[in-house]
């Protein structure tokens, strides 16, 4: 978006990984010496308690290559739309248990409204565009989690320009 | 022209493979026509790609069923995503 008033450099980092992440360490690392960004929003998505008692784990599959692209595109859109200076998205893959961290969105901005909105938008957008699939396992049997219509609907609230 | 077709999640399991190299026949110019052609080969493609909503990506970008497959190197079919 060259020439746009909103266009500015935003540091964006994306990671798709099996390993867990340390909120405190990441927060320190991303805010070290940073006097510009007074607003920091961190959203963490965790694995909910499974609906079926016999369920043992959840496995996340993704589309290597496309996943990173889709997440970066989501962060780029957020950076064009709101005044944010740093954005970090971490999404885990592989086998996860209830209460495990799945996803982190961290946004740094000079303004809390921009930070909140950008983080919320990134999560809503990620849910419907990033190629991840969840499979739940119980007693050796697996079943794929169906996509929710409510996730599609959540995106529409960003379409009417109500953020500006 | 040859193209790599990849499948994910439910579709990968139903089709029994994660990818295949396909030589595009005459008349297959869009992702929609490719899907129809794959299904016309019979099972397991016929049932795996029918019914429930199937999404498509061309060279790792979301696409519609009117998107061109000309010059594409990788076409992906997958169910609606459930990350986050």
């Amino acid at each position: 978006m060259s020439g746009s008033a909103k266009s500015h450099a935003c540091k964006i980092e994306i990671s798709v990984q099996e390993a867990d992440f340390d909120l405190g360490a990441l927060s320190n690392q991303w805010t070290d010496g940073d006097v510009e960004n007074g607003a920091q929003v961190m959203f963490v998505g965790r694995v909910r308690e499974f609906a079926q008692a016999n369920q043992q784990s959840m496995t996340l599959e993704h589309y290597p290559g496309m996943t990173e692209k889709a997440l970066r595109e989501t962060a780029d859109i957020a950076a064009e739309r709101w005044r944010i200076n740093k954005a970090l998205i971490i999404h885990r893959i592989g086998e996860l248990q209830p209460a495990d961290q799945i996803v982190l969105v961290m946004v740094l901005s000079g303004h809390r409204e921009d930070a909140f909105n950008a983080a919320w938008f990134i999560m809503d957008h990620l849910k419907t565009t990033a190629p991840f699939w969840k499979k739940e396992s119980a007693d050796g049997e697996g079943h794929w989690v169906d996509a929710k219509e409510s996730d599609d609907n959540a995106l529409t609230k960003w379409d009417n320009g109500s953020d500006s | 022209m040859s193209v790599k077709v990849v499948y994910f999640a439910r579709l990968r399991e139903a089709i029994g493979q994660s990818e295949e190299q396909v030589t595009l026949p005459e008349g297959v110019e869009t992702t929609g026509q490719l899907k129809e052609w794959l299904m016309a080969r019979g099972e397991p493609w016929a049932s795996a790609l029918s019914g429930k909503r199937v999404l498509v990506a061309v060279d790792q970008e979301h696409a519609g069923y009117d998107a061109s497959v000309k010059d594409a190197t990788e076409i992906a079919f997958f169910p609606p995503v459930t990350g986050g």
Side-chain angles (χ1 to χ4, degrees), chain A residues 61-66 69 73 91 102-103 126-135 144-147 152, chain B residues 6-13 52-53 55 57 59-62 74-76 78-84:
Chain A
E61 175 174 330
H62 79 129
Y63 182 173
M66 179 169 172
K69 258 166 117 170
E73 200 176 292
H91 203 298
I102 295 189
V103 60
L126 173 160
K127 280 251 175 204
T128 55
T129 60
F132 291 102
W133 300 275
K134 289 176 181 149
K135 187 178 193 178
W144 294 97
V145 176
D146 284 323
D152 282 329
Chain B
V6 293
Y7 308 105
F8 288 97
R10 197 196 301 277
L11 265 60
R12 173 177 51 76
E13 286 185 352
K52 288 196 175 183
R53 202 152 67 98
L55 306 183
D59 290 336
Q60 305 187 341
E61 301 272 0
H62 287 285
E74 185 173 291
I75 313 282
F78 47 81
V81 305
T82 56

Side-chain angles (χ1 to χ4, degrees), chain A:
Chain A
M1 281 188 71
S2 60
S4 159
K6 281 191 175 182
S7 178
H8 62 276
C10 176
K11 174 187 175 184
I12 292 170
E13 245 177 65
I14 308 294
S15 177
V16 179
Q17 61 188 49
E18 282 193 26
D20 199 6
F21 47 84
D22 181 336
L23 281 184
L26 287 167
S27 174
N28 289 340
Q29 188 188 324
W30 278 63
T31 58
D32 186 35
D34 186 341
V35 293
E36 181 189 2
N37 293 297
Q40 177 181 18
V41 166
M42 297 173 87
F43 172 85
V44 175
R46 292 172 176 274
V47 180
R48 255 197 314 268
E49 180 182 36
F50 296 133
Q52 293 158 299
N54 62 341
Q55 204 164 293
Q56 286 131 4
S57 68
M58 166 184 282
T59 305
L60 274 130
E61 175 174 330
H62 79 129
Y63 182 173
M66 179 169 172
T67 318
E68 293 81 355
K69 258 166 117 170
L71 293 175
R72 185 164 295 274
E73 200 176 292
T74 293
D76 282 341
I77 297 170
E80 279 176 12
R81 211 160 154 175
W82 291 281
R83 291 172 295 174
I84 61 173
N85 299 314
K86 296 178 186 172
L88 168 67
I89 305 175
I90 296 178
H91 203 298
R92 295 180 69 194
I93 49 168
E95 196 176 314
L96 297 173
Q97 313 294 330
D100 281 353
Q101 303 183 125
I102 295 189
V103 60
L104 166 70
V105 173
M106 178 163 75
V107 175
L108 286 148
S109 169
H111 313 271
R112 69 179 183 281
E113 198 177 338
D114 290 290
F116 272 125
N117 278 328
W120 194 353
F121 170 85
I122 288 171
M123 270 311 301
D124 281 352
H125 206 261
L126 173 160
K127 280 251 175 204
T128 55
T129 60
F132 291 102
W133 300 275
K134 289 176 181 149
K135 187 178 193 178
E136 297 175 343
S137 302
D139 301 328
E141 293 282 307
H143 74 273
W144 294 97
V145 176
D146 284 323
K148 290 198 205 88
E149 203 181 319
S150 57
D151 288 336
D152 282 329
N153 296 340
L155 261 194
T156 60
K157 72 170 173 281
W158 302 105
D159 292 341
N160 57 14
S162 62
D163 56 287
S164 55

